[in-house]
C-alpha cells in the first residue's frame, strides 16, 4: 500500500515536471518572438537607404536647452525628437539630388506629452547659407542649400539661422511620395473645385513619373486621392499662396499618418517596409521602429489632438520682397524667427 510520503514525493515530482515544461514552453515562445524580431530588423536594415552625415559640422546649437529652460524640464527636452523632412523636387527617379528641396518640414515628437508638431519652412525664405564645397556661401533662398550641399548643408543652414540643433533627416523625392500614398490605398482629403482644377494641371507630370496613363480628377469635396493626385495637390501654389501650399503638404502628411494608424499591425509593418524603400535617412530606423513607432501609431488619436501645424517664419513678421529681381520671403528679424521656432518646439 502506497504511503502518504510516497504520494507526497510523486506530487512534488509531478509539480517539478509541470514547472519545467512550462518554463521550456515559455523559453520556446521567447525564442520564437526574438527570432521574429531579428527577422523584421534584418529586413528593415536591408531596406533602408541609410546615408550618414558628419553631425559635428551642422552648426548645432549646443546651448539650446539654456535658451528654452524656462519652457520645460531638461528630462522632457532630452526626449523630444526633431527630424527634418525633406521633399526633393527631383523628377529624376535615379537621384533625389537633381533638384532643390520643394518641401522643408520639421517633425517634432514629444513622447512624454504624446504631442506632435509639423513646422514648415517656406522654400523662398531668405537666409544666410554657410560656405560649403565650391559654394562660397551668402544670402539665398533656403531651398538652394539642398541643391548646393544636400542634407548636410540644409541642416546646417537651418541650425545656424534659427538657433536649433537638428541632426536627423529623411529625404523623399516626387516618385517616392507617389509610391507611399499608393501603397496605403490613397488618402482622404477635402478638395475644392479650384484645387481640383489645379490638380488636373499638375497630374500629367505626376503620371509621367509612374508611367501610368493620365486619368483626370473629376470629383471634389471629401475624396480619396491616389499618389499622383496627392503629389499634384501638394505642389499647388496657385489656389491661395505658397504658404497655403505648405499647409497642403502638412495636410497630406497628416492624412498619411492617420490612414496608417488605423491599419492592422501586420499591414503597418508592410507599409513601413514600403516606406523605407522610398527614403534616404540617417535616422536610427531600427531603434525608432521598436521604441517609438508602435506607441505613436497606437496612440495616434492623442498625438493628433495635441498636434500643432504651422509655418515659420510667419507672415506676421516676414514678407515677400524682390531683391535684384528675384522673389524672397524675408523675415523682419531673424531673432523673432529663432524665438518662434524655440517656443513652438519646446513650449509647455
Amino acid at each position: 500500500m502506497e504511503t502518504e510520503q510516497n504520494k507526497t514525493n510523486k506530487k512534488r515530482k509531478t509539480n517539478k515536471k509541470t514547472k519545467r515544461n512550462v518554463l521550456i514552453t515559455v523559453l520556446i515562445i521567447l525564442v520564437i518572438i526574438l527570432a521574429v524580431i531579428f527577422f523584421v530588423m534584418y529586413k528593415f536594415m536591408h531596406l533602408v537607404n541609410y546615408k550618414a552625415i558628419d553631425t559635428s559640422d551642422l552648426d548645432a546649437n549646443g546651448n539650446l536647452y539654456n535658451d528654452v529652460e524656462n519652457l520645460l524640464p531638461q528630462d522632457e527636452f532630452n526626449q523630444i525628437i526633431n527630424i527634418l523632412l525633406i521633399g526633393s523636387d527631383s523628377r529624376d527617379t535615379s537621384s533625389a539630388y537633381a533638384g532643390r528641396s520643394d518641401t522643408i518640414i520639421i517633425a517634432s515628437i514629444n513622447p512624454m506629452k504624446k504631442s506632435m508638431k509639423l513646422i514648415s519652412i517656406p522654400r523662398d525664405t531668405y537666409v544666410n547659407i554657410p560656405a560649403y564645397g565650391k559654394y562660397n556661401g551668402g544670402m539665398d533662398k533656403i531651398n538652394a542649400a539642398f541643391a548646393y550641399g544636400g542634407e548636410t548643408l540644409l541642416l546646417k543652414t537651418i541650425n545656424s539661422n534659427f538657433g536649433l540643433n537638428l541632426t536627423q533627416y529623411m529625404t523623399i523625392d516626387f516618385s517616392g511620395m507617389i509610391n507611399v500614398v499608393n501603397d496605403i490605398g490613397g488618402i482622404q482629403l477635402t478638395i475644392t473645385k479650384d484645387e481640383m482644377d489645379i490638380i488636373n494641371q499638375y497630374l500629367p507630370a505626376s503620371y509621367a513619373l509612374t508611367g501610368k496613363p493620365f486619368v483626370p480628377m473629376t470629383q471634389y469635396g471629401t475624396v480619396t486621392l491616389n499618389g499622383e493626385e496627392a503629389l499634384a495637390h501638394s505642389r499647388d501654389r496657385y489656389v491661395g499662396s505658397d504658404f497655403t501650399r505648405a499647409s497642403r503638404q502638412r495636410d497630406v502628411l497628416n492624412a498619411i499618418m492617420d490612414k496608417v494608424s488605423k491599419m492592422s499591425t501586420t499591414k503597418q509593418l508592410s507599409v513601413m517596409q514600403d516606406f523605407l524603400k522610398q527614403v534616404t535617412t540617417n535616422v536610427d530606423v531600427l531603434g525608432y521602429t521598436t521604441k517609438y513607432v508602435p506607441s505613436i501609431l497606437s496612440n495616434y488619436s492623442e498625438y493628433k489632438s495635441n498636434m500643432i501645424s504651422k509655418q515659420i517664419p510667419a507672415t506676421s513678421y516676414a514678407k515677400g520682397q524682390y531683391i535684384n529681381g528675384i522673389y524672397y520671403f524675408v523675415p523682419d528679424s531673424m531673432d523673432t524667427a529663432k524665438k518662434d521656432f524655440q517656443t513652438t518646439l519646446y513650449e509647455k
Side-chain angles (χ1 to χ4, degrees), residues 174-175 177-183 186 199-200 202-215 217 225-235:
F174 280 177
S175 298
M177 181 184 168
I178 292 174
N179 292 336
V180 167
V181 176
N182 282 338
D183 284 342
I199 287 173
N200 281 327
Y202 281 112
L203 263 182
S206 292
Y207 279 111
L209 287 171
T210 58
K212 298 177 184 176
F214 167 63
V215 180
M217 188 174 173
L225 302 181
N226 62 24
E228 289 83 359
E229 292 163 345
L231 173 62
H233 184 56
S234 298
R235 296 180 61 200

PDB file of all heavy atoms in Angstrom, residues 174-175 177-183 186 199-200 202-215 217 225-235:
ATOM      1  N   PHE A 174       9.735  63.154 -55.535  1.00  0.00           N
ATOM      2  CA  PHE A 174       8.360  63.120 -56.043  1.00  0.00           C
ATOM      3  C   PHE A 174       7.852  61.693 -56.228  1.00  0.00           C
ATOM      4  O   PHE A 174       6.747  61.348 -55.817  1.00  0.00           O
ATOM      5  CB  PHE A 174       8.280  63.870 -57.378  1.00  0.00           C
ATOM      6  CG  PHE A 174       8.200  65.372 -57.249  1.00  0.00           C
ATOM      7  CD1 PHE A 174       8.179  66.169 -58.379  1.00  0.00           C
ATOM      8  CD2 PHE A 174       8.147  65.983 -56.013  1.00  0.00           C
ATOM      9  CE1 PHE A 174       8.090  67.554 -58.288  1.00  0.00           C
ATOM     10  CE2 PHE A 174       8.066  67.366 -55.900  1.00  0.00           C
ATOM     11  CZ  PHE A 174       8.038  68.155 -57.037  1.00  0.00           C
ATOM     12  N   SER A 175       8.664  60.847 -56.864  1.00  0.00           N
ATOM     13  CA  SER A 175       8.239  59.475 -57.137  1.00  0.00           C
ATOM     14  C   SER A 175       7.988  58.708 -55.847  1.00  0.00           C
ATOM     15  O   SER A 175       7.032  57.938 -55.734  1.00  0.00           O
ATOM     16  CB  SER A 175       9.299  58.739 -57.965  1.00  0.00           C
ATOM     17  OG  SER A 175       9.479  59.351 -59.219  1.00  0.00           O
ATOM     18  N   MET A 177       7.040  59.878 -52.953  1.00  0.00           N
ATOM     19  CA  MET A 177       5.795  60.298 -52.318  1.00  0.00           C
ATOM     20  C   MET A 177       4.592  59.638 -52.980  1.00  0.00           C
ATOM     21  O   MET A 177       3.660  59.181 -52.314  1.00  0.00           O
ATOM     22  CB  MET A 177       5.652  61.811 -52.372  1.00  0.00           C
ATOM     23  CG  MET A 177       4.372  62.294 -51.709  1.00  0.00           C
ATOM     24  SD  MET A 177       4.136  64.056 -51.871  1.00  0.00           S
ATOM     25  CE  MET A 177       2.425  64.175 -51.344  1.00  0.00           C
ATOM     26  N   ILE A 178       4.601  59.587 -54.310  1.00  0.00           N
ATOM     27  CA  ILE A 178       3.510  58.922 -55.039  1.00  0.00           C
ATOM     28  C   ILE A 178       3.393  57.469 -54.592  1.00  0.00           C
ATOM     29  O   ILE A 178       2.297  56.975 -54.298  1.00  0.00           O
ATOM     30  CB  ILE A 178       3.763  58.978 -56.562  1.00  0.00           C
ATOM     31  CG1 ILE A 178       3.642  60.415 -57.075  1.00  0.00           C
ATOM     32  CG2 ILE A 178       2.774  58.075 -57.309  1.00  0.00           C
ATOM     33  CD1 ILE A 178       4.022  60.581 -58.536  1.00  0.00           C
ATOM     34  N   ASN A 179       4.523  56.782 -54.516  1.00  0.00           N
ATOM     35  CA  ASN A 179       4.524  55.369 -54.148  1.00  0.00           C
ATOM     36  C   ASN A 179       3.986  55.140 -52.743  1.00  0.00           C
ATOM     37  O   ASN A 179       3.238  54.187 -52.492  1.00  0.00           O
ATOM     38  CB  ASN A 179       5.938  54.793 -54.264  1.00  0.00           C
ATOM     39  CG  ASN A 179       6.417  54.735 -55.697  1.00  0.00           C
ATOM     40  OD1 ASN A 179       5.618  54.699 -56.627  1.00  0.00           O
ATOM     41  ND2 ASN A 179       7.719  54.749 -55.890  1.00  0.00           N
ATOM     42  N   VAL A 180       4.381  56.017 -51.791  1.00  0.00           N
ATOM     43  CA  VAL A 180       3.923  55.877 -50.405  1.00  0.00           C
ATOM     44  C   VAL A 180       2.400  55.975 -50.330  1.00  0.00           C
ATOM     45  O   VAL A 180       1.738  55.149 -49.695  1.00  0.00           O
ATOM     46  CB  VAL A 180       4.577  56.950 -49.501  1.00  0.00           C
ATOM     47  CG1 VAL A 180       3.873  57.008 -48.144  1.00  0.00           C
ATOM     48  CG2 VAL A 180       6.053  56.649 -49.302  1.00  0.00           C
ATOM     49  N   VAL A 181       1.832  56.986 -50.981  1.00  0.00           N
ATOM     50  CA  VAL A 181       0.372  57.170 -50.928  1.00  0.00           C
ATOM     51  C   VAL A 181      -0.354  56.023 -51.629  1.00  0.00           C
ATOM     52  O   VAL A 181      -1.367  55.519 -51.125  1.00  0.00           O
ATOM     53  CB  VAL A 181      -0.028  58.529 -51.545  1.00  0.00           C
ATOM     54  CG1 VAL A 181      -1.558  58.677 -51.591  1.00  0.00           C
ATOM     55  CG2 VAL A 181       0.577  59.681 -50.754  1.00  0.00           C
ATOM     56  N   ASN A 182       0.172  55.592 -52.755  1.00  0.00           N
ATOM     57  CA  ASN A 182      -0.457  54.461 -53.459  1.00  0.00           C
ATOM     58  C   ASN A 182      -0.346  53.168 -52.651  1.00  0.00           C
ATOM     59  O   ASN A 182      -1.249  52.327 -52.672  1.00  0.00           O
ATOM     60  CB  ASN A 182       0.159  54.284 -54.849  1.00  0.00           C
ATOM     61  CG  ASN A 182      -0.374  55.292 -55.850  1.00  0.00           C
ATOM     62  OD1 ASN A 182      -1.457  55.852 -55.670  1.00  0.00           O
ATOM     63  ND2 ASN A 182       0.386  55.546 -56.901  1.00  0.00           N
ATOM     64  N   ASP A 183       0.761  52.993 -51.930  1.00  0.00           N
ATOM     65  CA  ASP A 183       0.961  51.781 -51.128  1.00  0.00           C
ATOM     66  C   ASP A 183      -0.099  51.636 -50.035  1.00  0.00           C
ATOM     67  O   ASP A 183      -0.443  50.519 -49.642  1.00  0.00           O
ATOM     68  CB  ASP A 183       2.350  51.782 -50.485  1.00  0.00           C
ATOM     69  CG  ASP A 183       3.447  51.434 -51.481  1.00  0.00           C
ATOM     70  OD1 ASP A 183       3.117  50.872 -52.547  1.00  0.00           O
ATOM     71  OD2 ASP A 183       4.619  51.726 -51.202  1.00  0.00           O
ATOM     72  N   GLY A 186      -4.263  55.250 -51.022  1.00  0.00           N
ATOM     73  CA  GLY A 186      -4.760  56.618 -51.149  1.00  0.00           C
ATOM     74  C   GLY A 186      -5.055  57.253 -49.800  1.00  0.00           C
ATOM     75  O   GLY A 186      -5.049  56.593 -48.760  1.00  0.00           O
ATOM     76  N   ILE A 199      -5.017  70.579 -59.605  1.00  0.00           N
ATOM     77  CA  ILE A 199      -4.513  69.200 -59.565  1.00  0.00           C
ATOM     78  C   ILE A 199      -4.446  68.633 -60.969  1.00  0.00           C
ATOM     79  O   ILE A 199      -3.454  68.001 -61.363  1.00  0.00           O
ATOM     80  CB  ILE A 199      -5.408  68.319 -58.663  1.00  0.00           C
ATOM     81  CG1 ILE A 199      -5.169  68.665 -57.186  1.00  0.00           C
ATOM     82  CG2 ILE A 199      -5.128  66.829 -58.899  1.00  0.00           C
ATOM     83  CD1 ILE A 199      -6.108  67.973 -56.226  1.00  0.00           C
ATOM     84  N   ASN A 200      -5.481  68.858 -61.748  1.00  0.00           N
ATOM     85  CA  ASN A 200      -5.511  68.337 -63.121  1.00  0.00           C
ATOM     86  C   ASN A 200      -4.446  68.963 -64.008  1.00  0.00           C
ATOM     87  O   ASN A 200      -3.991  68.343 -64.977  1.00  0.00           O
ATOM     88  CB  ASN A 200      -6.899  68.535 -63.727  1.00  0.00           C
ATOM     89  CG  ASN A 200      -7.886  67.483 -63.253  1.00  0.00           C
ATOM     90  OD1 ASN A 200      -7.503  66.339 -63.014  1.00  0.00           O
ATOM     91  ND2 ASN A 200      -9.149  67.859 -63.101  1.00  0.00           N
ATOM     92  N   TYR A 202      -1.405  69.689 -62.884  1.00  0.00           N
ATOM     93  CA  TYR A 202      -0.156  69.031 -62.482  1.00  0.00           C
ATOM     94  C   TYR A 202      -0.156  67.529 -62.743  1.00  0.00           C
ATOM     95  O   TYR A 202       0.914  66.906 -62.792  1.00  0.00           O
ATOM     96  CB  TYR A 202       0.100  69.257 -60.985  1.00  0.00           C
ATOM     97  CG  TYR A 202       0.679  70.607 -60.628  1.00  0.00           C
ATOM     98  CD1 TYR A 202      -0.066  71.539 -59.910  1.00  0.00           C
ATOM     99  CD2 TYR A 202       1.985  70.935 -60.980  1.00  0.00           C
ATOM    100  CE1 TYR A 202       0.468  72.772 -59.557  1.00  0.00           C
ATOM    101  CE2 TYR A 202       2.526  72.161 -60.632  1.00  0.00           C
ATOM    102  CZ  TYR A 202       1.763  73.077 -59.920  1.00  0.00           C
ATOM    103  OH  TYR A 202       2.303  74.296 -59.581  1.00  0.00           O
ATOM    104  N   LEU A 203      -1.341  66.939 -62.884  1.00  0.00           N
ATOM    105  CA  LEU A 203      -1.440  65.478 -62.966  1.00  0.00           C
ATOM    106  C   LEU A 203      -0.647  64.834 -64.101  1.00  0.00           C
ATOM    107  O   LEU A 203      -0.055  63.762 -63.891  1.00  0.00           O
ATOM    108  CB  LEU A 203      -2.911  65.053 -63.054  1.00  0.00           C
ATOM    109  CG  LEU A 203      -3.575  64.642 -61.742  1.00  0.00           C
ATOM    110  CD1 LEU A 203      -5.017  64.205 -61.983  1.00  0.00           C
ATOM    111  CD2 LEU A 203      -2.799  63.533 -61.051  1.00  0.00           C
ATOM    112  N   PRO A 204      -0.628  65.407 -65.314  1.00  0.00           N
ATOM    113  CA  PRO A 204       0.148  64.751 -66.376  1.00  0.00           C
ATOM    114  C   PRO A 204       1.607  64.509 -65.987  1.00  0.00           C
ATOM    115  O   PRO A 204       2.175  63.459 -66.285  1.00  0.00           O
ATOM    116  CB  PRO A 204       0.039  65.735 -67.548  1.00  0.00           C
ATOM    117  CG  PRO A 204      -1.277  66.419 -67.323  1.00  0.00           C
ATOM    118  CD  PRO A 204      -1.374  66.575 -65.844  1.00  0.00           C
ATOM    119  N   ALA A 205       2.210  65.488 -65.274  1.00  0.00           N
ATOM    120  CA  ALA A 205       3.596  65.326 -64.832  1.00  0.00           C
ATOM    121  C   ALA A 205       3.706  64.222 -63.786  1.00  0.00           C
ATOM    122  O   ALA A 205       4.684  63.465 -63.762  1.00  0.00           O
ATOM    123  CB  ALA A 205       4.126  66.643 -64.266  1.00  0.00           C
ATOM    124  N   SER A 206       2.695  64.114 -62.912  1.00  0.00           N
ATOM    125  CA  SER A 206       2.703  63.055 -61.893  1.00  0.00           C
ATOM    126  C   SER A 206       2.622  61.682 -62.538  1.00  0.00           C
ATOM    127  O   SER A 206       3.377  60.764 -62.188  1.00  0.00           O
ATOM    128  CB  SER A 206       1.517  63.236 -60.924  1.00  0.00           C
ATOM    129  OG  SER A 206       1.655  64.387 -60.131  1.00  0.00           O
ATOM    130  N   TYR A 207       1.709  61.527 -63.494  1.00  0.00           N
ATOM    131  CA  TYR A 207       1.555  60.226 -64.159  1.00  0.00           C
ATOM    132  C   TYR A 207       2.764  59.900 -65.028  1.00  0.00           C
ATOM    133  O   TYR A 207       3.092  58.728 -65.233  1.00  0.00           O
ATOM    134  CB  TYR A 207       0.271  60.209 -64.994  1.00  0.00           C
ATOM    135  CG  TYR A 207      -0.968  59.934 -64.159  1.00  0.00           C
ATOM    136  CD1 TYR A 207      -1.917  60.918 -63.941  1.00  0.00           C
ATOM    137  CD2 TYR A 207      -1.180  58.680 -63.587  1.00  0.00           C
ATOM    138  CE1 TYR A 207      -3.051  60.665 -63.178  1.00  0.00           C
ATOM    139  CE2 TYR A 207      -2.306  58.418 -62.825  1.00  0.00           C
ATOM    140  CZ  TYR A 207      -3.234  59.412 -62.620  1.00  0.00           C
ATOM    141  OH  TYR A 207      -4.345  59.151 -61.858  1.00  0.00           O
ATOM    142  N   ALA A 208       3.445  60.930 -65.518  1.00  0.00           N
ATOM    143  CA  ALA A 208       4.653  60.680 -66.314  1.00  0.00           C
ATOM    144  C   ALA A 208       5.740  60.028 -65.454  1.00  0.00           C
ATOM    145  O   ALA A 208       6.547  59.239 -65.944  1.00  0.00           O
ATOM    146  CB  ALA A 208       5.168  61.990 -66.914  1.00  0.00           C
ATOM    147  N   LEU A 209       5.759  60.362 -64.145  1.00  0.00           N
ATOM    148  CA  LEU A 209       6.748  59.777 -63.246  1.00  0.00           C
ATOM    149  C   LEU A 209       6.504  58.292 -63.016  1.00  0.00           C
ATOM    150  O   LEU A 209       7.444  57.521 -62.842  1.00  0.00           O
ATOM    151  CB  LEU A 209       6.724  60.504 -61.892  1.00  0.00           C
ATOM    152  CG  LEU A 209       7.317  61.916 -61.858  1.00  0.00           C
ATOM    153  CD1 LEU A 209       7.014  62.583 -60.521  1.00  0.00           C
ATOM    154  CD2 LEU A 209       8.821  61.870 -62.083  1.00  0.00           C
ATOM    155  N   THR A 210       5.240  57.893 -63.003  1.00  0.00           N
ATOM    156  CA  THR A 210       4.916  56.489 -62.735  1.00  0.00           C
ATOM    157  C   THR A 210       4.692  55.684 -64.005  1.00  0.00           C
ATOM    158  O   THR A 210       4.566  54.459 -63.950  1.00  0.00           O
ATOM    159  CB  THR A 210       3.659  56.389 -61.849  1.00  0.00           C
ATOM    160  OG1 THR A 210       2.560  57.044 -62.504  1.00  0.00           O
ATOM    161  CG2 THR A 210       3.895  57.052 -60.502  1.00  0.00           C
ATOM    162  N   GLY A 211       4.596  56.380 -65.141  1.00  0.00           N
ATOM    163  CA  GLY A 211       4.395  55.681 -66.406  1.00  0.00           C
ATOM    164  C   GLY A 211       2.977  55.199 -66.616  1.00  0.00           C
ATOM    165  O   GLY A 211       2.706  54.419 -67.531  1.00  0.00           O
ATOM    166  N   LYS A 212       2.056  55.658 -65.784  1.00  0.00           N
ATOM    167  CA  LYS A 212       0.654  55.271 -65.927  1.00  0.00           C
ATOM    168  C   LYS A 212      -0.056  56.238 -66.867  1.00  0.00           C
ATOM    169  O   LYS A 212       0.350  57.403 -67.002  1.00  0.00           O
ATOM    170  CB  LYS A 212      -0.046  55.275 -64.564  1.00  0.00           C
ATOM    171  CG  LYS A 212       0.529  54.301 -63.557  1.00  0.00           C
ATOM    172  CD  LYS A 212      -0.201  54.449 -62.219  1.00  0.00           C
ATOM    173  CE  LYS A 212       0.399  53.569 -61.150  1.00  0.00           C
ATOM    174  NZ  LYS A 212      -0.254  53.797 -59.829  1.00  0.00           N
ATOM    175  N   PRO A 213      -1.138  55.792 -67.501  1.00  0.00           N
ATOM    176  CA  PRO A 213      -1.900  56.703 -68.360  1.00  0.00           C
ATOM    177  C   PRO A 213      -2.582  57.782 -67.544  1.00  0.00           C
ATOM    178  O   PRO A 213      -3.037  57.534 -66.420  1.00  0.00           O
ATOM    179  CB  PRO A 213      -2.925  55.782 -69.040  1.00  0.00           C
ATOM    180  CG  PRO A 213      -3.040  54.603 -68.137  1.00  0.00           C
ATOM    181  CD  PRO A 213      -1.688  54.421 -67.523  1.00  0.00           C
ATOM    182  N   PHE A 214      -2.625  58.990 -68.086  1.00  0.00           N
ATOM    183  CA  PHE A 214      -3.231  60.130 -67.396  1.00  0.00           C
ATOM    184  C   PHE A 214      -4.739  59.915 -67.211  1.00  0.00           C
ATOM    185  O   PHE A 214      -5.453  59.601 -68.159  1.00  0.00           O
ATOM    186  CB  PHE A 214      -2.980  61.402 -68.198  1.00  0.00           C
ATOM    187  CG  PHE A 214      -3.811  62.581 -67.751  1.00  0.00           C
ATOM    188  CD1 PHE A 214      -3.656  63.097 -66.477  1.00  0.00           C
ATOM    189  CD2 PHE A 214      -4.744  63.143 -68.603  1.00  0.00           C
ATOM    190  CE1 PHE A 214      -4.418  64.186 -66.061  1.00  0.00           C
ATOM    191  CE2 PHE A 214      -5.514  64.232 -68.199  1.00  0.00           C
ATOM    192  CZ  PHE A 214      -5.346  64.753 -66.923  1.00  0.00           C
ATOM    193  N   VAL A 215      -5.176  60.078 -65.977  1.00  0.00           N
ATOM    194  CA  VAL A 215      -6.609  59.988 -65.652  1.00  0.00           C
ATOM    195  C   VAL A 215      -6.991  61.265 -64.915  1.00  0.00           C
ATOM    196  O   VAL A 215      -6.538  61.485 -63.787  1.00  0.00           O
ATOM    197  CB  VAL A 215      -6.923  58.764 -64.768  1.00  0.00           C
ATOM    198  CG1 VAL A 215      -8.419  58.717 -64.447  1.00  0.00           C
ATOM    199  CG2 VAL A 215      -6.476  57.484 -65.437  1.00  0.00           C
ATOM    200  N   MET A 217      -8.875  64.064 -62.659  1.00  0.00           N
ATOM    201  CA  MET A 217      -9.709  64.023 -61.463  1.00  0.00           C
ATOM    202  C   MET A 217     -11.042  64.679 -61.793  1.00  0.00           C
ATOM    203  O   MET A 217     -11.090  65.764 -62.391  1.00  0.00           O
ATOM    204  CB  MET A 217      -8.986  64.777 -60.329  1.00  0.00           C
ATOM    205  CG  MET A 217      -9.637  64.663 -58.983  1.00  0.00           C
ATOM    206  SD  MET A 217      -8.596  65.438 -57.714  1.00  0.00           S
ATOM    207  CE  MET A 217      -9.707  65.342 -56.319  1.00  0.00           C
ATOM    208  N   LEU A 225      -7.633  60.616 -52.615  1.00  0.00           N
ATOM    209  CA  LEU A 225      -6.624  60.949 -53.623  1.00  0.00           C
ATOM    210  C   LEU A 225      -5.633  59.806 -53.749  1.00  0.00           C
ATOM    211  O   LEU A 225      -5.167  59.254 -52.743  1.00  0.00           O
ATOM    212  CB  LEU A 225      -5.857  62.212 -53.223  1.00  0.00           C
ATOM    213  CG  LEU A 225      -6.642  63.501 -52.984  1.00  0.00           C
ATOM    214  CD1 LEU A 225      -5.679  64.626 -52.628  1.00  0.00           C
ATOM    215  CD2 LEU A 225      -7.465  63.881 -54.190  1.00  0.00           C
ATOM    216  N   ASN A 226      -5.308  59.442 -54.991  1.00  0.00           N
ATOM    217  CA  ASN A 226      -4.228  58.473 -55.177  1.00  0.00           C
ATOM    218  C   ASN A 226      -2.887  59.211 -55.078  1.00  0.00           C
ATOM    219  O   ASN A 226      -2.848  60.432 -54.862  1.00  0.00           O
ATOM    220  CB  ASN A 226      -4.378  57.713 -56.501  1.00  0.00           C
ATOM    221  CG  ASN A 226      -4.297  58.627 -57.720  1.00  0.00           C
ATOM    222  OD1 ASN A 226      -3.709  59.708 -57.661  1.00  0.00           O
ATOM    223  ND2 ASN A 226      -4.872  58.197 -58.827  1.00  0.00           N
ATOM    224  N   GLY A 227      -1.785  58.492 -55.236  1.00  0.00           N
ATOM    225  CA  GLY A 227      -0.478  59.105 -55.071  1.00  0.00           C
ATOM    226  C   GLY A 227      -0.205  60.221 -56.055  1.00  0.00           C
ATOM    227  O   GLY A 227       0.342  61.276 -55.684  1.00  0.00           O
ATOM    228  N   GLU A 228      -0.590  60.015 -57.301  1.00  0.00           N
ATOM    229  CA  GLU A 228      -0.356  61.037 -58.330  1.00  0.00           C
ATOM    230  C   GLU A 228      -1.139  62.310 -58.008  1.00  0.00           C
ATOM    231  O   GLU A 228      -0.621  63.429 -58.148  1.00  0.00           O
ATOM    232  CB  GLU A 228      -0.777  60.491 -59.704  1.00  0.00           C
ATOM    233  CG  GLU A 228       0.143  59.419 -60.273  1.00  0.00           C
ATOM    234  CD  GLU A 228      -0.141  58.025 -59.744  1.00  0.00           C
ATOM    235  OE1 GLU A 228      -1.064  57.880 -58.898  1.00  0.00           O
ATOM    236  OE2 GLU A 228       0.533  57.074 -60.165  1.00  0.00           O
ATOM    237  N   GLU A 229      -2.380  62.144 -57.551  1.00  0.00           N
ATOM    238  CA  GLU A 229      -3.218  63.307 -57.213  1.00  0.00           C
ATOM    239  C   GLU A 229      -2.719  64.002 -55.945  1.00  0.00           C
ATOM    240  O   GLU A 229      -2.726  65.235 -55.853  1.00  0.00           O
ATOM    241  CB  GLU A 229      -4.668  62.848 -57.027  1.00  0.00           C
ATOM    242  CG  GLU A 229      -5.314  62.378 -58.325  1.00  0.00           C
ATOM    243  CD  GLU A 229      -6.576  61.561 -58.108  1.00  0.00           C
ATOM    244  OE1 GLU A 229      -6.808  61.102 -56.963  1.00  0.00           O
ATOM    245  OE2 GLU A 229      -7.317  61.347 -59.087  1.00  0.00           O
ATOM    246  N   ALA A 230      -2.260  63.209 -54.959  1.00  0.00           N
ATOM    247  CA  ALA A 230      -1.743  63.789 -53.718  1.00  0.00           C
ATOM    248  C   ALA A 230      -0.500  64.637 -53.991  1.00  0.00           C
ATOM    249  O   ALA A 230      -0.329  65.719 -53.418  1.00  0.00           O
ATOM    250  CB  ALA A 230      -1.428  62.688 -52.712  1.00  0.00           C
ATOM    251  N   LEU A 231       0.383  64.151 -54.881  1.00  0.00           N
ATOM    252  CA  LEU A 231       1.564  64.935 -55.236  1.00  0.00           C
ATOM    253  C   LEU A 231       1.151  66.224 -55.942  1.00  0.00           C
ATOM    254  O   LEU A 231       1.657  67.302 -55.617  1.00  0.00           O
ATOM    255  CB  LEU A 231       2.490  64.122 -56.149  1.00  0.00           C
ATOM    256  CG  LEU A 231       3.686  64.910 -56.723  1.00  0.00           C
ATOM    257  CD1 LEU A 231       4.598  65.404 -55.600  1.00  0.00           C
ATOM    258  CD2 LEU A 231       4.474  64.055 -57.711  1.00  0.00           C
ATOM    259  N   ALA A 232       0.232  66.132 -56.886  1.00  0.00           N
ATOM    260  CA  ALA A 232      -0.226  67.317 -57.607  1.00  0.00           C
ATOM    261  C   ALA A 232      -0.832  68.334 -56.643  1.00  0.00           C
ATOM    262  O   ALA A 232      -0.595  69.544 -56.758  1.00  0.00           O
ATOM    263  CB  ALA A 232      -1.246  66.910 -58.668  1.00  0.00           C
ATOM    264  N   HIS A 233      -1.598  67.853 -55.673  1.00  0.00           N
ATOM    265  CA  HIS A 233      -2.200  68.738 -54.675  1.00  0.00           C
ATOM    266  C   HIS A 233      -1.128  69.404 -53.817  1.00  0.00           C
ATOM    267  O   HIS A 233      -1.223  70.597 -53.499  1.00  0.00           O
ATOM    268  CB  HIS A 233      -3.154  67.918 -53.798  1.00  0.00           C
ATOM    269  CG  HIS A 233      -3.905  68.726 -52.782  1.00  0.00           C
ATOM    270  ND1 HIS A 233      -4.693  69.801 -53.119  1.00  0.00           N
ATOM    271  CD2 HIS A 233      -3.976  68.601 -51.419  1.00  0.00           C
ATOM    272  CE1 HIS A 233      -5.235  70.307 -52.025  1.00  0.00           C
ATOM    273  NE2 HIS A 233      -4.813  69.606 -50.980  1.00  0.00           N
ATOM    274  N   SER A 234      -0.084  68.661 -53.474  1.00  0.00           N
ATOM    275  CA  SER A 234       0.995  69.203 -52.651  1.00  0.00           C
ATOM    276  C   SER A 234       1.786  70.282 -53.374  1.00  0.00           C
ATOM    277  O   SER A 234       2.412  71.133 -52.741  1.00  0.00           O
ATOM    278  CB  SER A 234       1.957  68.076 -52.236  1.00  0.00           C
ATOM    279  OG  SER A 234       1.310  67.112 -51.471  1.00  0.00           O
ATOM    280  N   ARG A 235       1.770  70.248 -54.702  1.00  0.00           N
ATOM    281  CA  ARG A 235       2.544  71.215 -55.487  1.00  0.00           C
ATOM    282  C   ARG A 235       1.764  72.485 -55.816  1.00  0.00           C
ATOM    283  O   ARG A 235       2.333  73.452 -56.337  1.00  0.00           O
ATOM    284  CB  ARG A 235       3.004  70.549 -56.791  1.00  0.00           C
ATOM    285  CG  ARG A 235       3.959  69.379 -56.589  1.00  0.00           C
ATOM    286  CD  ARG A 235       4.358  68.779 -57.928  1.00  0.00           C
ATOM    287  NE  ARG A 235       5.041  69.763 -58.756  1.00  0.00           N
ATOM    288  CZ  ARG A 235       5.168  69.668 -60.077  1.00  0.00           C
ATOM    289  NH1 ARG A 235       4.647  68.639 -60.719  1.00  0.00           N
ATOM    290  NH2 ARG A 235       5.814  70.596 -60.763  1.00  0.00           N
TER     291      ARG A 235
END
